Amino acid sequence: MTANSRYRSRAPRSDDGEEKDYVGFATLPNQVHRKSVKKGFDFTLMVAGESGLGKSTLVNSLFLTDLHKDRKLLNAEERISQTVEIMKHTVDIEEKGVKLKLTIVDTPGFGDAVNNTECWRAVTDYIDQQFEHYFRDESGLNRKNIQDNRVHCCLYFIPPFGHGLRPVDIEFMKALQDKVNVVPLIAKADCLTPSEIKKLKERLREEIDKYGIKIYQFPDCDSDEDEEFKRQDKELKESTPFAVIGSNTVVEARGQRVRGRLYPWGIVEVENPAHCDFVKLRTILIRTHMHDLKDITSDCHYENYRAQCIQTMTSSPDFPSIQLANIMHGALFKLL
Amino acid sequence: MTANSRYRSRAPRSDDGEEKDYVGFATLPNQVHRKSVKKGFDFTLMVAGESGLGKSTLVNSLFLTDLHKDRKLLNAEERISQTVEIMKHTVDIEEKGVKLKLTIVDTPGFGDAVNNTECWRAVTDYIDQQFEHYFRDESGLNRKNIQDNRVHCCLYFIPPFGHGLRPVDIEFMKALQDKVNVVPLIAKADCLTPSEIKKLKERLREEIDKYGIKIYQFPDCDSDEDEEFKRQDKELKESTPFAVIGSNTVVEARGQRVRGRLYPWGIVEVENPAHCDFVKLRTILIRTHMHDLKDITSDCHYENYRAQCIQTMTSSPDFPSIQLANIMHGALFKLL
C-alpha cells in the first residue's frame, strides 16, 4: 500500500462528494487494531484431565509447537505417588506479524491416584493465585507492566471410554466453572465410531445440563450476520463437546502430508472434519473466540473473585483497620 | 461477503499447502476490531481558550454536529461578571456502523474577566473530579458499567492577534499539562497571511519549548512505514500548532458546496489545506490518533493522578486506619 493510499484508507475520499459528511472516527476500530498488533497478545490456556488422554499432543497440534521435548514418562509406581503438579510453559509465537505470548498450564498426573478426592484443589488454587496476583498488581502503585497470568480457558479432557461423565469429571468441572471458561472435550476420539461419538455427545450434553455444570457459552453471533454464516455458527456450537484427536506426526494421506495417525485400517487425519472436530475446536477457540475468552475471564471470573475478596475482607470483625490494609497490600507493600 | 468467505477470511486456506503451518491467532486483531465496533467508542474533548475564538464552531466543523443550537450570546457586562463555567454536551454519532459517544467539555467565558488569576482552576478541578470519580468507580465492587468521563484531549485556542503566548496562555497550559493531553491551536487563522502564520508558529514553538510547556506529543510513526508515509507524518507534525478556521456555513466554491467563509475578497474553505490546517488537525486528532489520546489519558495522566492520591493518603499521619478507608471508599460506600 502506498503512503497516499494509506492516508486515503484512513480518510477515504469519495467522488460523489460524500467526503464532506465524513468525520473520520469510523477509523477508530482500525486504530485499535493497529495498536493491538503493535502491543501483541497473550493467552493462557489450561489443559486438565487424566494422564494419557493426549493433552500435550492436542496443544502441540493446535499451536504447532512442541511443549515437552524432553519429557520423561513416569512408570505406574511413580505416577501413583505423584501429586497434581502444575507446569507452566510459555512460548512466543508469531504469525503474519501478529505476536502471541502463549502460556500453557499443564496439570499432569491428575486422576492417576487411586483416591482422587479434591484432586481439583491444586488447579483451583492455581487459578485463584493468578487472580490474587493480578488483584494485588492492579491495586498497586505502578501498573505499567502488570504481568497478566490469569487463565483464560481450561480444556477439560473427558475419556472416550466411559458412557458419560464420571463423578470425578463432574466434581472437577463444577469446581472450576466459576473461575475459568471450561471447554469440555472428548479425548482420543479415534477409538469411537461416528455413531458412538454422536451418542456420547448427546449423553454428555444431557449430563452437563442435569448436573448444572456451567461450561463456556460461545456467544450468539451478531443478528446482522447472513443466514449461511448463522448456519455454520450453529453447526459449530452443536458439535460440542468437541471430539478431538491430536498428533505430533506428519503422515502422507491422499498425496498430501498431513498431521495424522497411521493405522493398519487407514489414516486418521487430525484436520479432516469428517474424522474429528479438531478444526472446529481450533476455529472457535483460536480464530473466532480467543478474544471473547479473555474478555469473559476479565469481566466475569476475575470480577467475581475480586468482589468476593472485598466482601470477605470488609465483613471481617477486624474491619476496617487490618483487613483494608490487606486489600491495598499491593500499594502498601510498594510504599512502606 | 458470503459466510464462506467470512470463515475463510478468518482462517485463510492457501493453495500451496501453507494452511498446515497456519494456526489462526493472526485473526486476534480482527477479533478485537469486531468487538470494539460492537461495544462502541467514547471520546471526551475539552475546548479551552478565550471567548469568541471559535471554539464551538470548530468542534461543529470537526464532528459535523451542532453544539449550541439555542445559545444566547452574552453582552460585555454579562460576560465580565461571568465566571468560568464548565458545560458538557454529549452527542451520539455514528459513521459507517461505528458508534461514538462524543462528549464536548466547553469552558465558556474564560479570559473574559479583567483579572484572570487562577482562571484555569475550574478547568483543572473539573479534570481532577473526573479522575476522582473514575478512581472511586474502579475501586468499587461493581465495575461493569463504569462511566468514563475522563477528558482525553484539550484543544487550547491561542488568539491569532498577539505576537506569541500571553502569560495567561502559559499559565493555563502549564496548569493542564500533567492532567490532560494539550493540543494548542492558532484560532481564527483567516486573519493571518501565510507568512504571518509561519512566523507565529515558529514563535509559539520556541516559546512552548522555552517555558517548558508539555503539549501532547504525537507518537513517532512505526519504523516499518514506507518513506512517503513518514514524510507525510513528519509534515503533519511540523505543522503544529495547527492554524485553524471553523465554519458552520456551507458556501459554494469552485462549483462545489463546502464549509467556508465568504469574504468580499474571496472564499475561505475550511477543508482546503492551502487555506488552513483544519484537515491536518482532523486527520491527526480523529483519524489517526484518537485512540492514542485515550491510551495516554488512561496510562499516564490518570495513573499519575492515582499514584498521587495513594501517596498523599498513605503519607498522612492518620494512615492507615482512616485514610485507607478513603482509598477504598468506592467499595466501602457500596458495602456499608
Side-chain angles (χ1 to χ4, degrees):
Chain A
M1 213 188 299
T2 68
N4 270 318
S5 72
R6 269 290 295 288
Y7 264 101
R8 266 206 304 280
S9 74
R10 291 180 182 180
R13 183 170 275 281
S14 65
D15 294 334
D16 55 1
E18 251 184 44
E19 162 71 7
K20 74 173 193 292
D21 298 325
Y22 178 72
V23 170
F25 62 84
T27 62
L28 269 168
N30 303 337
Q31 294 179 36
V32 171
H33 183 288
R34 259 185 98 70
K35 201 120 180 185
S36 76
V37 172
K38 219 169 161 178
K39 214 172 150 189
F41 294 85
D42 57 80
F43 189 76
T44 299
L45 179 70
M46 177 181 256
V47 288
E50 217 165 303
S51 284
L53 287 182
K55 298 190 293 295
S56 308
T57 306
L58 189 80
V59 168
N60 289 343
S61 304
L62 276 174
F63 292 97
L64 308 175
T65 54
D66 196 352
L67 279 188
H68 308 278
K69 263 185 233 130
D70 31 41
R71 181 165 68 163
K72 168 176 160 276
L73 290 174
L74 305 172
N75 63 29
E77 217 168 315
E78 287 172 308
R79 286 225 303 273
I80 288 171
S81 66
Q82 200 189 10
T83 52
V84 176
E85 190 194 347
I86 309 282
M87 308 246 274
K88 210 172 95 172
H89 311 265
T90 299
V91 281
D92 290 296
I93 43 186
E94 187 172 337
E95 185 176 87
K96 303 189 180 191
V98 176
K99 292 194 181 90
L100 177 69
K101 182 169 163 282
L102 173 71
T103 303
I104 304 296
V105 180
D106 204 351
T107 58
F110 148 62
D112 282 338
V114 176
N115 180 355
N116 288 312
T117 317
E118 296 221 325
C119 61
W120 38 264
R121 175 70 73 189
V123 175
T124 56
D125 282 354
Y126 179 87
I127 295 172
D128 281 343
Q129 272 161 25
Q130 311 316 310
F131 283 155
E132 196 202 328
H133 279 163
Y134 194 84
F135 186 30
R136 190 187 307 172
D137 286 349
E138 76 145 4
S139 310
L141 253 189
N142 184 358
R143 309 199 287 186
K144 271 224 173 98
N145 300 307
I146 293 186
Q147 273 268 355
D148 185 1
N149 290 314
R150 295 175 294 183
V151 181
H152 300 118
C153 179
C154 176
L155 298 179
Y156 185 77
F157 288 68
I158 298 166
F161 323 112
H163 298 286
L165 293 175
R166 302 166 301 171
V168 69
D169 297 323
I170 298 169
E171 262 203 66
F172 204 99
M173 285 194 279
K174 282 188 87 85
L176 261 63
Q177 66 187 12
D178 293 319
K179 297 176 186 296
V180 66
N181 297 307
V182 177
V183 174
L185 302 178
I186 300 172
K188 299 209 158 173
D190 49 346
C191 63
L192 297 173
T193 65
S195 72
E196 286 169 337
I197 286 183
K198 189 165 174 280
K199 234 169 83 184
L200 182 55
K201 279 187 179 185
E202 274 165 19
R203 179 94 184 225
L204 290 174
R205 279 197 294 264
E206 274 168 31
E207 292 185 332
I208 284 170
D209 201 41
K210 179 177 159 198
Y211 294 107
I213 299 168
K214 290 181 268 175
I215 59 172
Y216 170 65
Q217 292 297 321
F218 295 103
D220 293 337
C221 67
D222 298 343
S223 55
D224 61 347
E225 301 285 5
D226 60 42
E227 290 309 314
E228 174 62 12
F229 184 84
K230 282 182 187 164
R231 196 193 56 72
Q232 290 189 10
D233 188 71
K234 191 159 164 269
E235 193 191 304
L236 273 182
K237 284 170 193 166
E238 281 174 354
S239 304
T240 57
F242 298 118
V244 292
I245 302 165
S247 169
N248 288 328
T249 352
V250 173
V251 295
E252 188 145 335
R254 294 172 295 148
Q256 285 199 314
R257 295 179 57 75
V258 295
R259 291 209 165 216
R261 294 170 59 77
L262 198 61
Y263 285 109
W265 47 90
I267 295 164
V268 176
E269 298 165 49
V270 167
E271 301 191 28
N272 185 335
H275 292 193
C276 75
D277 299 327
F278 175 85
V279 170
K280 283 182 183 142
L281 172 67
R282 186 177 60 189
T283 298
I284 217 159
L285 183 72
I286 303 179
R287 301 185 184 182
T288 60
H289 288 74
M290 188 173 252
H291 186 59
D292 187 63
L293 286 160
K294 292 185 66 172
D295 274 353
I296 303 288
T297 302
S298 169
D299 297 348
C300 297
H301 299 304
Y302 172 67
E303 284 300 317
N304 287 344
Y305 169 87
R306 185 176 165 278
Q308 272 170 25
C309 266
I310 295 179
Q311 270 166 327
T312 311
M313 286 162 177
T314 48
S315 62
S316 144
D318 298 329
F319 174 82
S321 55
I322 298 170
Q323 294 302 324
L324 251 184
N326 280 331
I327 299 180
M328 288 303 297
H329 53 355
L332 304 180
F333 285 174
K334 276 159 199 161
L335 274 176
L336 301 178
Chain B
M1 215 187 298
T2 70
N4 271 317
S5 71
R6 268 291 294 288
Y7 264 101
R8 265 206 304 280
S9 75
R10 291 179 183 183
R13 181 170 277 280
S14 65
D15 295 334
D16 55 1
E18 252 184 41
E19 165 69 7
K20 74 173 192 293
D21 297 326
Y22 178 73
V23 170
F25 62 85
T27 61
L28 269 169
N30 302 337
Q31 295 179 35
V32 171
H33 183 289
R34 260 185 98 71
K35 201 123 183 183
S36 75
V37 172
K38 220 168 161 177
K39 215 172 150 189
F41 293 85
D42 57 79
F43 189 76
T44 299
L45 179 69
M46 177 181 257
V47 286
E50 217 165 302
S51 283
L53 287 182
K55 297 190 295 294
S56 308
T57 305
L58 189 80
V59 168
N60 288 343
S61 305
L62 277 174
F63 292 97
L64 307 175
T65 54
D66 197 351
L67 280 187
H68 307 279
K69 263 185 233 130
D70 30 42
R71 181 166 67 162
K72 168 174 160 278
L73 290 175
L74 305 172
N75 63 30
E77 218 167 314
E78 288 171 306
R79 285 224 304 274
I80 287 171
S81 67
Q82 201 189 7
T83 52
V84 176
E85 190 194 347
I86 309 282
M87 308 247 274
K88 211 172 96 172
H89 311 266
T90 299
V91 282
D92 289 296
I93 43 185
E94 186 170 340
E95 184 177 271
K96 303 191 179 190
V98 176
K99 292 194 180 90
L100 177 68
K101 182 169 162 284
L102 173 70
T103 303
I104 304 295
V105 180
D106 203 351
T107 56
F110 148 62
D112 280 339
V114 175
N115 180 356
N116 289 311
T117 316
E118 295 221 327
C119 61
W120 38 264
R121 175 72 70 189
V123 175
T124 56
D125 282 354
Y126 180 88
I127 295 172
D128 280 344
Q129 272 161 26
Q130 312 315 309
F131 282 155
E132 195 201 330
H133 279 163
Y134 194 84
F135 186 29
R136 189 187 307 169
D137 286 348
E138 77 145 1
S139 309
L141 254 189
N142 183 358
R143 308 199 288 188
K144 271 223 174 97
N145 300 308
I146 293 186
Q147 274 267 355
D148 185 0
N149 290 314
R150 294 174 295 183
V151 181
H152 299 118
C153 179
C154 175
L155 298 179
Y156 184 78
F157 288 67
I158 299 166
F161 322 113
H163 296 288
L165 294 174
R166 300 167 302 172
V168 69
D169 297 323
I170 298 169
E171 262 203 65
F172 204 99
M173 286 195 275
K174 282 188 87 85
L176 262 64
Q177 65 185 15
D178 293 319
K179 296 177 187 296
V180 66
N181 297 307
V182 176
V183 174
L185 302 178
I186 299 173
K188 301 212 157 171
D190 49 347
C191 63
L192 296 173
T193 65
S195 73
E196 285 168 338
I197 288 184
K198 190 164 174 280
K199 234 169 84 184
L200 182 56
K201 281 187 178 183
E202 275 165 21
R203 179 93 183 224
L204 290 174
R205 279 197 295 265
E206 275 168 28
E207 290 184 332
I208 284 169
D209 201 43
K210 180 177 159 197
Y211 293 107
I213 299 167
K214 289 181 269 174
I215 59 172
Y216 170 64
Q217 292 297 322
F218 295 103
D220 293 336
C221 67
D222 297 344
S223 55
D224 60 347
E225 300 286 6
D226 61 41
E227 290 309 314
E228 175 61 13
F229 184 83
K230 282 182 187 165
R231 196 192 57 73
Q232 290 189 8
D233 188 69
K234 193 158 162 269
E235 193 189 304
L236 274 181
K237 285 171 192 166
E238 282 174 353
S239 304
T240 57
F242 298 120
V244 293
I245 302 165
S247 169
N248 288 328
T249 353
V250 172
V251 296
E252 189 145 336
R254 293 172 295 148
Q256 285 199 315
R257 293 180 57 76
V258 295
R259 291 210 164 215
R261 295 170 59 78
L262 198 62
Y263 285 108
W265 49 88
I267 295 163
V268 177
E269 297 165 49
V270 167
E271 300 192 27
N272 185 335
H275 291 192
C276 75
D277 298 328
F278 175 85
V279 169
K280 283 182 182 141
L281 172 68
R282 185 176 63 189
T283 299
I284 218 158
L285 183 73
I286 303 178
R287 300 184 185 184
T288 60
H289 288 75
M290 189 174 251
H291 186 60
D292 187 64
L293 286 160
K294 293 185 66 172
D295 274 354
I296 302 287
T297 301
S298 169
D299 297 347
C300 297
H301 298 304
Y302 172 67
E303 284 300 317
N304 286 344
Y305 169 87
R306 185 176 165 279
Q308 273 170 25
C309 266
I310 295 178
Q311 271 168 326
T312 310
M313 287 162 177
T314 48
S315 62
S316 144
D318 298 330
F319 174 83
S321 55
I322 299 171
Q323 295 302 323
L324 252 183
N326 279 329
I327 299 180
M328 289 302 297
H329 52 356
L332 304 180
F333 286 174
K334 276 158 200 162
L335 274 174
L336 301 179

